[in-house]
Amino acid sequence: MILDGKKLSARLKAEMASRVAGMEERYGRVPALAVIIVGEDPASQTYVRNKVKACEETGIRSIHIALPSGVRERELLDQIKRLNEDPGVDGILVQLPLPPHIDEHRVINAIAPAKDVDGFHPRNVAGLWLDEDCAIPCTPKGIMHLINESGINPSGKRAVVVGRSNIVGKPIAKLLLDANATVTIAHSHTEDLARVCREADILVVAVGRPKMIDGSMIKSGAVVIDVGINRISVPTPGGNISRICGDVDFDSACEVASWITPVPGGVGPMTICELMGNTIEAFLRSHQE
Ligand code: GUN
């Protein structure tokens, strides 16, 4: 069965839109999200476009800031400072990766934790691991939403996360742990990865390598969450065409999995949907104080 992120995110965004519609009257304004992109990376541009589109769908005000790839780090930090100090801005997102001359850690640290809708600031990372009320990274949050909405209960199950990034691997491991799964984090140095993956009742793959996991590495009846978004070139009689594929070989995985996320249309739309949710939460938190 398909874990349909496109469908769930559409429903959640419609619910958010009706909540946001009531905020203008109640609070005098709607939530606002600033999205900063540095440079012209085509994948990042697509992600940012989709984020701005989701703002339009939910009624959230978006502020799109595009900076040239050669922008000085100082200028980016100053921009973030202005947004931190702007009471009309609730969320700030700096699209990653950044050009190599800019220190990613310094940039993430510069975002006010209360406006860090990505949940990447050390304060929010600590908050997640210490079970505090804080922004939770969008992709892991979206994955849990998808799992829960489908009636899958991770409690007592073996979960294997392939990939140990700060954006996905580490936080999804924590969220699965919170849901009482027994969690293993596997990575590029894991010995006999296929055997480790076959132990998983819930397999989350976030490595960024096209079709790295196939059906032979998946336990029968497992839930498979594919976080990968890889652009590959596929030869056809009319020439090569570009296609998006996941980190999981969908066709062979389908044969053995009970539930699986498609790429596209699985985790991707959920990530963007949770970003809208985090922006609304940041707005509400700031209005509670
Ligand atoms: N680049 C890839 N994923 C993400 C994300 O979730 N947030 C940001 N800011 N950049 C990303």
Side-chain angles (χ1 to χ4, degrees), residues 220-232:
S220 176
V223 174
V224 178
I225 309 291
D226 186 353
V227 185
I229 303 175
N230 307 292
R231 191 163 280 284
I232 55 163

Side-chain angles (χ1 to χ4, degrees), residues 44 47 51 93-97 118 120 137-139 167-168 271:
S44 289
Y47 298 146
K51 289 168 186 177
L93 177 144
V94 179
Q95 187 64 31
L96 303 177
D118 262 326
F120 293 168
C138 303
T139 301
I167 296 183
V168 185
T271 296

Side-chain angles (χ1 to χ4, degrees), residues 35 48 55 61 64 79 90 93 122 144 165 177 179 190 231 257 265:
V35 181
V48 165
C55 285
R61 183 167 78 93
H64 183 191
Q79 179 65 258
D90 305 287
L93 177 144
M144 294 310 292
S165 69
L177 196 57
T190 298
R231 191 163 280 284

Side-chain angles (χ1 to χ4, degrees), residues 35 47-57 62 64:
V35 181
Y47 298 146
V48 165
R49 241 194 332 270
N50 288 337
K51 289 168 186 177
V52 170
K53 185 167 157 263
C55 285
E56 287 163 11
E57 289 166 357
S62 71
H64 183 191

Side-chain angles (χ1 to χ4, degrees), residues 229-278:
I229 303 175
N230 307 292
R231 191 163 280 284
I232 55 163
S233 179
V234 182
T236 69
N240 286 357
I241 57 162
S242 170
R243 267 190 56 188
I244 299 286
C245 82
D247 293 346
V248 175
D249 176 41
F250 186 83
D251 293 339
S252 64
C254 256
E255 302 286 321
V256 279
S258 60
W259 289 91
I260 186 166
T261 58
V263 177
V267 174
M270 290 305 298
T271 296
I272 292 173
C273 174
E274 301 300 342
L275 175 65
M276 302 301 112
N278 278 355

